[in-house]
Amino acid sequence: MAMGDMDKIRLSKSSVGDLEKEALARVIDQGYLGMGSFVNEFEEKLREWLGGGRYAVCVSSGTSALHLAVESCVPPGSEVLVQSLTYIASFQAISAAGAIPVACEVLPGTCTIDIGDAGRRLTERTKAIMPVHYASRTGDLEKVYEFAGRHKLRVIEDAAHAFGTIYKGRKVGSFGDIVCFSFDGIKNITSGEGGAVVTGSTEVAKYVMDARLLGVEKDTEKRYRGIRSWEFDVTHRGYRYHMSNIFAAIGICQLERLDSDFKPSRQRLARAYHDALGGIPEIMLFQNDYSEIIPHIFPIRVLEGRRNALKEHLLENGIECGVHYYPNHFLTFYGGRGTDLPVTERLHGELLSLPLHPGLTGAEQRKVITCIKEHFCD
Ligand SMILES: Cc1ncc(COP(=O)(O)O)c(C=O)c1O
């Protein structure tokens, strides 16, 4: 018998409730749903949360954050080094900016960019590197910045998974060249849809602020005061990529709930998986310090060609699971397997993401664990 959607154990899910509902009512009462004071407030709270001294510019999605970040500092036709094992958004954002994503290998222990491999793909046209903080891990970010410094590359961190990650005692986003977050419906915090570009660069921040509002110069300042530009200048391309008050109001609530609610629940669930699945020979777990990340997803490696059978078994038992990700160099638009990336290809056959979200109950998680154990004991 097919399971109803309600009975399924979800891979991921938004955690929103009364706090968000009340905030939305305040936006509606205020009478302006577009970009205004709530976006200003969300940006201020993000800056404060990151420790101050940086720009945080909110946009309509993580993808638009990456797009504008690349466009702000990478000339069209340039190459950007990026791991193939990432969401299609990283690649499309680079393409949208008129640049060329160059697919690189990942390190199998972290699924973060392999700098040795990236170095072999450098050309005169390489202008930036986009490390993706896969499953909330940054990998050796110091090495990425050292490599970028040596080759005069901009660094655009795809931190869609890494809201709340601590690297060497500092929050991701509180340092570094340009850091892009996603607040889509299932991320560590959500604003419904949304994203942010965080940077210390005035030039980049100014570009993103104007480009998100069709390139209209200094429109942001006016919108935060509730007024509109009627006469203005435009000096570069722009998009309708701004964030709305509706999204920002949800984001503000979610930021408030991060430390008390989402962080402990995601860390507890990830630790519980880790403790329960550690002894299964067919499963390889990623080693994480769970006090330093807020796990966005929980991928495992299933060895000996047994991933697909486990995936089917879980699905038959009403448990959703995922594969993060289908390698981008497999896609027709990105060369259709024209590049040889053996580590990425092996990982793609092994990776399986288990349900992880703050609403996952203890009973649901025990069912996932039991199903996995049963599968390998038979
Ligand atoms: C690694 C990665 N990069 C970029 C994005 C794009 O973010 P958004 O969905 O907010 O556009 C995502 C979202 O899933 C992601 O996982």
Side-chain angles (χ1 to χ4, degrees):
M1 197 177 69
M3 288 251 177
D5 273 358
M6 295 299 286
D7 304 322
K8 270 195 195 148
I9 297 181
R10 299 261 299 267
L11 174 64
S12 49
K13 198 173 165 195
S14 305
S15 294
V16 283
D18 289 341
L19 198 67
E20 289 80 4
K21 278 187 199 162
E22 285 159 22
L24 287 176
R26 281 197 296 280
V27 179
I28 290 166
D29 289 344
Q30 196 213 48
Y32 186 64
L33 309 185
M35 179 170 150
S37 61
F38 286 84
V39 179
N40 190 18
E41 185 183 336
F42 187 31
E43 289 178 346
E44 273 175 15
K45 295 214 153 132
L46 284 169
R47 277 195 288 274
E48 198 181 299
W49 181 80
L50 288 165
R54 308 268 285 170
Y55 296 95
V57 186
C58 284
V59 289
S60 55
S61 68
T63 309
S64 51
L66 289 167
H67 172 187
L68 296 186
V70 176
E71 200 170 276
S72 71
C73 64
V74 173
S78 310
E79 293 174 359
V80 179
L81 301 166
V82 58
Q83 63 198 63
S84 178
L85 196 74
T86 181
Y87 190 41
I88 174 68
S90 322
F91 272 62
Q92 285 285 19
I94 295 168
S95 300
I100 300 153
V102 175
C104 299
E105 273 292 22
V106 286
L107 298 168
T110 54
C111 294
T112 54
I113 195 161
D114 176 344
I115 286 297
D117 180 79
R120 289 187 283 280
R121 297 179 197 278
L122 271 171
T123 71
E124 280 170 6
R125 291 190 301 278
T126 313
K127 293 288 180 267
I129 180 165
M130 184 183 284
V132 179
H133 302 333
Y134 183 99
S136 315
R137 293 183 288 270
T138 58
D140 190 345
L141 206 46
E142 226 165 58
K143 199 168 173 180
V144 172
Y145 274 95
E146 188 271 325
F147 171 82
R150 201 157 13 102
H151 299 289
K152 297 190 171 47
L153 308 180
R154 298 302 295 250
V155 180
I156 299 147
E157 296 178 41
D158 180 341
H161 295 192
F163 197 79
T165 292
I166 307 289
Y167 179 75
K168 300 205 168 173
R170 295 191 290 171
K171 279 180 185 155
V172 162
S174 68
F175 63 94
D177 190 3
I178 311 175
V179 183
C180 296
F181 292 112
S182 159
F183 307 131
D184 76 21
I186 57 164
K187 291 299 191 299
N188 284 352
I189 67 165
T190 183
S191 57
E193 294 287 353
V197 177
V198 174
T199 183
S201 159
T202 303
E203 226 175 51
V204 170
K206 189 186 170 311
Y207 185 89
V208 175
M209 265 187 254
D210 290 350
R212 70 177 165 173
L213 288 162
L214 294 167
V216 174
E217 273 199 334
K218 299 193 177 113
D219 205 22
T220 288
E221 296 156 29
K222 296 203 184 87
R223 284 177 183 249
Y224 290 165
R225 285 186 282 126
I227 52 180
R228 194 170 157 181
S229 308
W230 295 107
E231 286 180 22
F232 48 80
D233 196 15
V234 167
T235 56
H236 57 75
R237 209 168 24 204
Y239 309 86
R240 289 282 284 179
Y241 275 179
H242 57 280
M243 181 177 269
S244 78
N245 274 347
I246 302 177
F247 287 6
I250 299 173
I252 292 165
C253 301
Q254 293 266 305
L255 188 57
E256 248 172 69
R257 294 175 60 192
L258 183 72
D259 281 340
S260 58
D261 186 346
F262 305 143
K263 178 174 162 178
S265 52
R266 284 184 180 273
Q267 289 180 338
R268 177 178 41 76
L269 288 162
R271 281 192 180 108
Y273 273 137
H274 210 273
D275 293 346
L277 302 175
I280 302 173
E282 294 88 349
I283 288 179
M284 192 183 277
L285 297 172
F286 291 100
Q287 299 306 314
N288 294 309
D289 179 345
Y290 286 110
S291 63
E292 301 211 318
I293 64 172
I294 303 179
H296 161 54
I297 53 174
F298 194 87
I300 59 172
R301 287 173 65 186
V302 187
L303 310 177
E304 300 168 18
R306 301 188 66 176
R307 196 273 311 274
N308 287 350
L310 175 61
K311 188 165 160 248
E312 283 310 309
H313 177 68
L314 292 174
L315 287 173
E316 277 162 17
N317 282 278
I319 299 166
E320 285 184 351
C321 37
V323 176
H324 293 94
Y325 288 99
Y326 191 66
N328 283 276
H329 73 282
F330 283 3
L331 305 172
T332 306
F333 191 49
Y334 294 115
R337 296 179 189 249
T339 317
D340 202 21
L341 297 171
V343 176
T344 299
E345 288 169 28
R346 191 179 77 230
L347 283 166
H348 169 248
E350 294 175 348
L351 287 166
L352 188 69
S353 298
L354 305 180
L356 181 70
H357 56 85
L360 188 74
T361 66
E364 286 177 323
Q365 187 178 39
R366 281 192 293 280
K367 181 175 171 187
V368 177
I369 292 165
T370 305
C371 258
I372 295 173
K373 286 187 170 167
E374 274 170 8
H375 181 72
F376 289 115
C377 288
D378 287 347

